[in-house]
Amino acid sequence: SSGLIASVNVGSEFESAFAGVEKTVDASNTELAMMRDNIREMARNEIPMAADELSEIAESAGQLGIKNENIIGFTGTMANMDAATDLGSKEAAEEFAKFANITKMSQDYFSNLGSSVVALGNNMATQEANIVGMGMRIAAAGHQVNLSESDIMAYAASLSSVGIEEEAGGSAFSKVLTNLQMAVETGEKLKEYADVAGMSGEEFKQTFGEDTTKAINSFIAGLNDAERNGKSAIAVLDEMGLTEVRLRDTLLRAANASEIFDNALTISSDAWNENTALANEAAQRYKTFESQCQMTQNKLS
């Protein structure tokens, strides 16, 4: 009888959790029945998280504007983020959904985004929560200058790995991107930016249009190598009118880390295209005895 009571309790927990999904997701009864089955199947065989917890992620997906056909995939990805990173599933869900809105990213790519973040976290001196936090700060400016989502996270990881603080550093780096774009579009100060990057104005403009990351990296690496023109990086920034303390500090730290950028961009882009890093990392965690026990318990429930 205690087993029966326990199963009734688990059932009612799931039902009340799933009622939340019904509230936030505008779907037909057939669609909802399919979501319910998918969530239970996920808890039984794929993810060692109780079905009511998975329902809570699906409920927040509805609130965050995730389309019906993407809700189950999004739920699985956020549960994997919870297992594989230092971001909780709710935090990851909120940040990823907002990031997608800012960058106009298709909702089909949440798993790719997660893979980029995990690969960067595994290979660089920073953690996933810091990468995503910085990524959110530079997303709007990054999207504005045509950086891909994986590029934005690569820059976020690089900046974070040299101790640049999210709020101040993120807005400062965003300003750098905007300044570069303005120089290219208006021609004002274009020569100064191009000189630092070791290019002619025309060359820098063309590079910025064709391969934005190459132009950005050339400018930052040029600052690091400013001595070749007989000036310190600080003197160069002064001449360009980039004297604001946070902006200067961010640029000088970025300049010291200029070789990190290329590596991070490759790691992030490869992980995005392969789209396996998140699933593999989560699978490692799910192999543990505790996770296996949780799935067995979910099956019994």
Side-chain angles (χ1 to χ4, degrees):
S1 67
S2 63
L4 178 62
I5 291 165
S7 66
V8 168
N9 286 344
V10 167
S12 68
E13 278 167 20
F14 174 60
E15 287 311 323
S16 49
F18 196 78
V21 180
E22 292 170 341
K23 264 197 298 226
T24 65
V25 177
D26 183 15
S28 68
N29 290 338
T30 312
E31 282 179 298
L32 286 167
M34 201 179 282
M35 279 182 206
R36 177 196 299 253
D37 289 347
N38 283 334
I39 286 171
R40 289 164 83 164
E41 179 58 28
M42 212 186 277
R44 275 200 294 261
N45 295 316
E46 293 169 41
I47 294 172
M49 197 182 257
D52 56 333
E53 291 176 80
L54 290 168
S55 295
E56 282 169 20
I57 303 175
E59 178 184 345
S60 68
Q63 286 167 331
L64 292 163
I66 304 301
K67 294 176 189 156
N68 291 0
E69 65 267 25
N70 296 320
I71 284 177
I72 293 300
F74 181 83
T75 300
T77 297
M78 295 313 131
N80 285 346
M81 287 294 288
D82 189 277
T85 74
D86 61 336
L87 278 161
S89 57
K90 287 222 171 80
E91 194 187 349
E94 206 164 296
E95 301 275 74
F96 273 31
K98 285 179 186 167
F99 183 83
N101 286 341
I102 295 168
T103 61
K104 310 281 187 286
M105 181 185 94
S106 156
Q107 291 185 358
D108 297 330
Y109 293 122
F110 285 116
S111 166
N112 305 70
L113 184 63
S115 288
S116 280
V117 169
V118 165
L120 289 162
N122 284 346
N123 288 285
M124 300 183 72
T126 183
Q127 289 182 296
E128 293 85 3
N130 299 111
I131 297 170
V132 173
M134 180 69 86
M136 289 295 291
R137 302 279 178 194
I138 64 172
H143 177 63
Q144 195 63 45
V145 301
N146 293 325
L147 294 181
S148 71
E149 290 81 11
S150 80
D151 292 341
I152 292 170
M153 286 305 182
Y155 281 114
S158 304
L159 297 169
S160 177
S161 72
V162 292
I164 292 174
E165 191 264 320
E166 272 172 38
E167 199 162 333
S171 59
F173 192 74
S174 294
K175 194 168 184 186
V176 172
L177 297 181
T178 309
N179 286 355
L180 286 169
Q181 187 181 31
M182 289 301 289
V184 164
E185 285 180 3
T186 65
E188 198 178 322
K189 294 200 175 170
L190 175 61
K191 185 178 180 333
E192 294 171 46
Y193 281 101
D195 282 349
V196 174
M199 299 182 194
S200 69
E202 199 44 55
E203 216 181 330
F204 189 78
K205 185 175 180 173
Q206 190 177 345
T207 305
F208 193 85
E210 289 170 6
D211 184 355
T212 314
T213 60
K214 189 177 176 189
I216 295 166
N217 293 2
S218 299
F219 171 69
I220 291 168
L223 270 183
N224 193 37
D225 190 26
E227 305 293 341
R228 76 180 191 279
N229 293 330
K231 289 176 191 165
S232 70
I234 290 179
V236 170
L237 293 174
D238 272 346
E239 281 175 19
M240 295 177 75
L242 300 172
T243 54
E244 202 255 307
V245 178
R246 284 176 176 178
L247 189 61
R248 191 151 73 176
D249 179 56
T250 299
L251 271 170
L252 293 174
R253 280 180 187 241
N256 289 332
S258 56
E259 73 286 352
I260 295 175
F261 289 121
D262 285 326
N263 189 30
L265 287 160
T266 305
I267 290 168
S268 191
S269 167
D270 288 350
W272 175 285
N273 292 329
E274 286 163 18
N275 191 21
T276 54
L278 174 58
N280 290 348
E281 182 89 7
Q284 289 296 110
R285 309 293 167 98
Y286 297 157
K287 272 184 194 159
T288 64
F289 179 68
E290 193 186 348
S291 293
Q292 292 301 314
C293 288
Q294 175 68 57
M295 261 189 295
T296 304
Q297 194 182 332
N298 289 348
K299 281 178 185 169
L300 291 170
S301 300

